[in-house]
Amino acid sequence: MGQEMKSNIYKGPNRLLTFLNSKKVAPYVFIFPFIISFTLLTFYPTIQAFVMSFQRILPGQTEFVGLSNYRRILNPTFYQAFQNTTTYVILTCVILVTVPIFLAAMLNSKFAKFSTFYRASLFIPSLASIIVAGTVFRLLFGETGSSFANQVIGWFGVEPIQWQYTSWSAMFLMVILSSWRWMGVNVMYYLAALQNVPLELYESADIDGANVFQKFFYVTVPHLKPIITFVTTISIINGFRMFEESYVFWETNSPGNIGLSMIGYMYTQGVQRNDMGFGAALGVIIILIIFVISIIQLNLTGAFKRGDE
Amino acid sequence: MKKIYFSFVFLLLTIVLIACGGNGATESGEEAEEVVTVGDNIEGASELTFWTFAGTHADFFEDAAIRWNEEFPDNPIQFTAETYPFDQMHNNLTLALQSGQGAPDMVDIEIARFPNFLQGEIQLEPLNDLIEPEIDNFITERLDMYSHEGQYYGAPTHLGATVVYYNTAIMEEAGVDIDEIITWDDYVEAGIQVTENTGVPMTTIAENWYGIWPFVRQSGSDFFDDNGDLTLDSAENIEALQFVTDLVIEHEIADVTPGGHYHSEEFFGFMNDGGQASLIAPTFYMNEFMVNMEDLDGNIEMRPLPEWPGSDTRSVAMGGTGTTVTNQAEDVELAKDFLAYAKLTEEGNIALWTQLGFDPPRWDVWDSEEVREDNDFYRYFHDDIFDILLDIRDDVVGVHMSPYTPDVLEEIDSNIMFNVLRQQSQTPEEALQQAAESIRAIMD
């Protein structure tokens, strides 16, 4: 009797638990919280932005205006923003994908001294507030002859540069700020990947008489390939999303728009100028650009292929 | 089919990566920088919230709230002032008014952003019933800057009359008597004398609208005419910008402002060290002198703008913040009454001067005992500030605002001044025409 009671009591929960634990259902249970937050906080706003991109939105007077927002996008300011952002993406990708590999390899080598110290030093910038970091960079690269950067180039006999007012140096400032900030994070990714490279491969390479560089290019790099693909992808996406790197130097109006990024353009038009429809249209275009470029990049690196083909 | 499905999943993934990814700067700072509350210990006090981007404005209203509660014990208020960074406050307000919730009862809106809030169904409350009975006491040009179709939406913080601040030490060294500078030609001549005798420039030109708008307005023109049509590239405006450009390039008596504008740290240091002989800026700039340029104490005298050929205008009301009441205010009448008490009454206008050092938009207080009483501003500058203003009272003009004014100001900030003055890659005519073209494209 007593035993029967017990089994009766636990029958219900058991069934539920079994259901939730079943191989088919369990995965969905685990990703359920993410799906909810994704749908509410990301997917719904994205759809809404898509709808808004066909509207003219003013308090109490929202109306559909067809493609007029998209037609307005093709203007010189947008081209400038697109050009700036693309240049920025290319430069940051080249720097942030390649340099950290070498740094990680060096830090990982058994000859490196104080490697913990260097790891920490490289990583700390990513924890710094970009507003604070940007202020420091702005002062380092001031326009007067007494600013740090101008003093340094002065030792080599170079005339002071108006860092924040020239097109090439503006790009340089944004790229250097971003590189300084994210270098350590990418080094960490690579360092983690390096731990998975089997030591036997290096040993056998040694036996075959490979030198340091051959070991690096024929053993280390192939093993890092998945991570390289990953770092490239996030570098591209982060590059196209660039906003703060420009904001800290010029806020929203850079001279001659030399620091204008696509997101910056979206922000000034959509939020500051309260032209949400146009801002939304820009956002949709930016998503498409990133999507297409990521597809191309992942196809080229073979990330979509299965297995080890 | 599989490919389409895959592409869709990948698109979602891209969206996730774009949306997430740790964006420190944009997420931080949702909280107000500073919150001040008055009257939270009074039972039954009505709550009023106020947003601003200037800590001094919060202090000003805090003081007014204390006085209000003393004066009207039957109708006490619990007043909360929240100070946010400039951009964030205006953005939050845009979103709050757009979505119909979350806006404060009262809010400061800066002049360059004001037109953004006068579009669609206006979400601000008109102040006409409070302003109209007293309108003769105001310099109405200032009120017009915050109006739309005859409705006044903003309570001004100051008149903001543009004047010239002369550094008397440099002027003396150069042998120039500032009272003999009557016309802009005299100013240029004095500038040549200053540059030759002392080696410092007569002035520096800001790369934002402070470097062009006063001249445009003084010449009788503006960026928009009375019908709201764009006149940015009119002959008068080209001439005005040419005049500014000539100061830099032809006469070589002016430079581009270090840091690009008059509110940068670089400029404060430069001006404080006697880097330029005079500064063309509105009266509200007095406060910047006092706070950021202590070494110039007693060495600065202000005068009206020199005369522009063929124009009576001696000063232009520039910059400025209008305080508004939103339609989301719980008790609109109370918010309006308190706003009027703080900023539109005689007492409030006197406080604008004694507490903030702003030239009150009500000229009837300029002569009052309280305004004339000795204070730090008179000591730093000179005691006939308001005699100068009373003298030119009828010759002060405001600016025309249009829904597209922010676009013009943006073009000025990022293209016009940079290309004409710093890069010198365009003539004033080319720069103004190019900017006008891109703004007309938006207006169509």
Side-chain angles (χ1 to χ4, degrees):
Chain A
M1 177 81 183
Q3 264 184 352
E4 247 180 64
M5 285 276 287
K6 241 182 199 169
S7 69
N8 271 341
I9 291 167
Y10 285 107
K11 217 168 201 175
N14 257 345
R15 215 181 264 160
L16 184 67
L17 273 181
T18 336
F19 175 72
L20 292 180
N21 266 327
S22 72
K23 264 192 185 161
K24 273 205 175 139
V25 179
Y28 295 99
V29 174
F30 281 109
I31 62 168
F32 184 67
F34 168 76
I35 295 287
I36 291 286
S37 74
F38 170 77
T39 317
L40 284 181
L41 301 176
T42 308
F43 190 63
Y44 170 71
T46 310
I47 300 297
Q48 193 60 35
F50 186 71
V51 175
M52 281 165 70
S53 71
F54 298 100
Q55 289 175 328
R56 179 179 152 81
I57 295 157
L58 289 172
Q61 291 178 357
T62 299
E63 51 182 9
F64 278 91
V65 291
L67 288 173
S68 109
N69 287 329
Y70 286 96
R71 246 176 258 131
R72 276 173 51 203
I73 286 183
L74 299 178
N75 67 57
T77 314
F78 176 75
Y79 289 135
Q80 171 95 45
F82 181 68
Q83 195 192 338
N84 288 345
T85 311
T86 313
T87 317
Y88 174 86
V89 169
I90 294 171
L91 290 174
T92 48
C93 272
V94 169
I95 294 171
L96 283 175
V97 173
T98 55
V99 179
I101 300 184
F102 293 103
L103 288 177
M106 284 197 289
L107 287 176
N108 202 40
S109 109
K110 50 183 178 287
F111 304 111
K113 287 198 172 132
F114 311 115
S115 86
T116 325
F117 171 74
Y118 285 115
R119 276 180 213 198
S121 322
L122 280 167
F123 191 73
I124 282 173
S126 67
L127 303 176
S129 146
I130 187 136
I131 300 297
V132 175
T135 309
V136 174
F137 269 71
R138 216 174 57 221
L139 295 175
L140 286 178
F141 292 93
E143 62 192 284
T144 55
S146 55
S147 76
F148 175 78
N150 279 335
Q151 281 191 11
V152 170
I153 61 171
W155 296 336
F156 302 98
V158 182
E159 287 291 303
I161 294 170
Q162 296 195 340
W163 295 96
Q164 289 159 47
Y165 298 95
T166 321
S167 177
W168 72 266
S169 58
M171 183 57 65
F172 171 78
L173 287 185
M174 293 188 285
V175 170
I176 195 106
L177 175 57
S178 162
S179 304
W180 170 81
R181 190 147 177 251
W182 296 115
M183 190 67 73
V185 178
N186 290 359
V187 167
M188 288 299 141
Y189 288 137
Y190 287 125
L191 270 177
L194 283 175
Q195 311 312 314
N196 294 330
V197 184
L199 287 176
E200 298 83 29
L201 290 179
Y202 289 110
E203 274 169 32
S204 71
D206 274 336
I207 294 164
D208 290 342
N211 63 28
V212 182
F213 296 102
Q214 285 169 324
K215 276 195 285 183
F216 177 76
F217 283 109
Y218 295 109
V219 179
T220 313
V221 172
H223 273 91
L224 291 181
K225 201 181 151 198
I227 295 296
I228 294 176
T229 311
F230 168 71
V231 170
T232 316
T233 314
I234 58 165
S235 296
I236 289 177
I237 292 180
N238 279 331
F240 275 107
R241 294 186 344 162
M242 184 266 280
F243 173 71
E244 293 119 315
E245 279 81 357
S246 156
Y247 187 85
V248 293
F249 287 115
W250 307 276
E251 305 215 337
T252 48
N253 277 329
S254 56
N257 285 328
I258 50 178
L260 186 71
S261 69
M262 287 200 290
I263 299 286
Y265 189 44
M266 180 175 93
Y267 172 78
T268 47
Q269 294 299 310
V271 182
Q272 284 195 333
R273 288 287 292 107
N274 197 14
D275 195 349
M276 301 261 182
F278 184 62
L282 279 169
V284 170
I285 295 293
I286 294 170
I287 287 187
L288 285 181
I289 292 174
I290 296 181
F291 179 63
V292 169
I293 291 183
S294 301
I295 287 267
I296 295 173
Q297 178 251 334
L298 290 175
N299 256 323
L300 287 180
T301 50
F304 290 149
K305 290 182 191 145
R306 276 159 187 263
D308 302 319
E309 13 169 3
Chain B
M1 190 63 217
K2 206 167 183 190
K3 259 207 174 133
I4 295 173
Y5 173 71
F6 177 76
S7 304
F8 179 70
V9 171
F10 187 72
L11 180 65
L12 290 186
L13 202 74
T14 320
I15 294 171
V16 173
L17 276 176
I18 298 168
C20 317
N23 235 334
T26 41
E27 279 162 16
S28 64
E30 288 298 313
E31 297 282 307
E33 283 175 335
E34 208 192 326
V35 180
V36 188
T37 309
V38 172
D40 46 352
N41 50 3
I42 304 174
E43 215 171 299
S46 323
E47 283 182 40
L48 276 181
T49 19
F50 166 64
W51 286 359
T52 183
F53 50 86
T56 50
H57 296 184
D59 298 341
F60 175 79
F61 276 101
E62 180 193 4
D63 182 74
I66 294 171
R67 280 185 284 126
W68 170 282
N69 283 342
E70 277 166 10
E71 215 164 305
F72 308 105
D74 310 336
N75 193 10
I77 55 171
Q78 180 185 331
F79 181 79
T80 311
E82 299 175 5
T83 310
Y84 294 91
F86 182 86
D87 252 349
Q88 196 194 336
M89 194 218 82
H90 287 96
N91 295 346
N92 287 359
L93 182 66
T94 309
L95 297 177
L97 292 182
Q98 183 84 56
S99 63
Q101 53 183 335
D105 301 291
M106 293 159 55
V107 61
D108 266 354
I109 304 177
E110 202 259 344
I111 185 82
R113 297 295 182 90
F114 216 93
N116 287 345
F117 298 95
L118 299 180
Q119 297 181 48
E121 274 169 29
I122 298 175
Q123 310 283 304
L124 307 171
E125 293 291 334
L127 307 172
N128 288 38
D129 51 330
L130 297 166
I131 289 176
E132 270 161 5
E134 308 257 8
I135 200 151
D136 290 340
N137 298 323
F138 281 94
I139 305 278
T140 50
E141 279 78 4
R142 171 50 75 179
L143 297 171
D144 292 341
M145 288 158 78
Y146 309 113
S147 71
H148 184 71
E149 292 176 353
Q151 305 282 323
Y152 297 113
Y153 293 100
T157 311
H158 53 65
L159 172 61
T162 308
V163 294
V164 184
Y165 297 90
Y166 293 99
N167 182 325
T168 49
I170 298 177
M171 287 297 165
E172 254 163 53
E173 195 191 330
V176 173
D177 178 2
I178 58 171
D179 286 315
E180 283 180 7
I181 302 177
I182 311 291
T183 65
W184 280 108
D185 282 342
D186 299 338
Y187 182 85
V188 170
E189 220 166 278
I192 293 169
Q193 205 174 328
V194 165
T195 332
E196 269 171 11
N197 293 350
T198 65
V200 298
M202 182 66 165
T203 189
T204 59
I205 309 293
E207 282 176 287
N208 56 19
W209 39 277
Y210 285 103
I212 175 171
W213 216 351
F215 305 96
V216 161
R217 245 347 246 131
Q218 200 193 6
S219 78
S221 179
D222 204 340
F223 302 139
F224 294 90
D225 61 17
D226 292 334
N227 303 324
D229 289 329
L230 185 73
T231 53
L232 180 60
D233 53 349
S234 71
E236 292 86 4
N237 291 357
I238 293 170
E239 198 190 318
L241 182 56
Q242 188 65 54
F243 171 76
V244 176
T245 314
D246 285 347
L247 294 180
V248 178
I249 299 173
E250 199 195 312
H251 308 304
E252 294 182 346
I253 59 168
D255 287 333
V256 178
T257 304
H261 56 92
Y262 301 139
H263 290 90
S264 69
E265 290 298 327
E266 289 99 319
F267 178 73
F268 292 149
F270 175 81
M271 184 79 202
N272 192 32
D273 292 343
Q276 67 185 53
S278 68
L279 170 70
I280 301 155
T283 32
F284 64 72
Y285 203 82
M286 280 190 277
N287 206 23
E288 301 287 356
F289 273 111
M290 305 258 298
V291 176
N292 295 305
M293 292 168 248
E294 287 174 1
D295 294 352
L296 295 178
D297 194 345
N299 278 335
I300 300 289
E301 290 219 15
M302 66 170 79
R303 293 289 181 275
L305 294 177
E307 288 168 14
W308 189 274
S311 161
D312 296 332
T313 303
R314 296 303 304 277
S315 185
V316 181
M318 277 277 120
T321 297
T323 311
T324 59
V325 173
T326 73
N327 63 354
Q328 293 176 33
E330 213 165 289
D331 185 344
V332 170
E333 287 312 312
L334 177 69
K336 277 166 68 171
D337 284 343
F338 175 62
L339 175 57
Y341 174 81
K343 280 180 101 176
L344 297 173
T345 57
E346 259 179 77
E347 199 186 2
N349 270 255
I350 290 166
L352 284 172
W353 165 249
T354 53
Q355 291 177 27
L356 297 175
F358 290 150
D359 46 345
R362 275 180 80 128
W363 60 268
D364 61 340
V365 304
W366 291 358
D367 240 349
S368 71
E369 220 170 276
E370 293 93 330
V371 165
R372 294 307 177 112
E373 226 167 61
D374 190 32
N375 76 5
D376 287 348
F377 293 96
Y378 292 130
R379 256 168 269 143
Y380 189 105
F381 298 92
H382 38 94
D383 52 19
D384 57 350
I385 295 173
F386 284 97
D387 293 325
I388 294 176
L389 290 178
L390 277 169
D391 237 16
I392 57 167
R393 172 164 80 81
D394 294 326
D395 304 323
V396 181
V397 296
V399 294
H400 295 101
M401 301 302 283
S402 139
Y404 299 98
T405 299
D407 296 289
V408 172
L409 302 184
E410 209 176 285
E411 280 290 333
I412 291 171
D413 276 13
S414 51
N415 290 324
I416 299 175
M417 301 307 272
F418 177 70
N419 288 339
V420 171
L421 290 177
R422 201 181 273 268
Q423 299 283 77
Q424 301 181 2
S425 60
Q426 282 182 320
T427 64
E429 188 173 2
E430 286 164 356
L432 289 173
Q433 277 171 356
Q434 187 186 318
E437 230 168 84
S438 57
I439 292 163
R440 287 206 179 94
I442 303 173
M443 290 174 73
D444 285 338

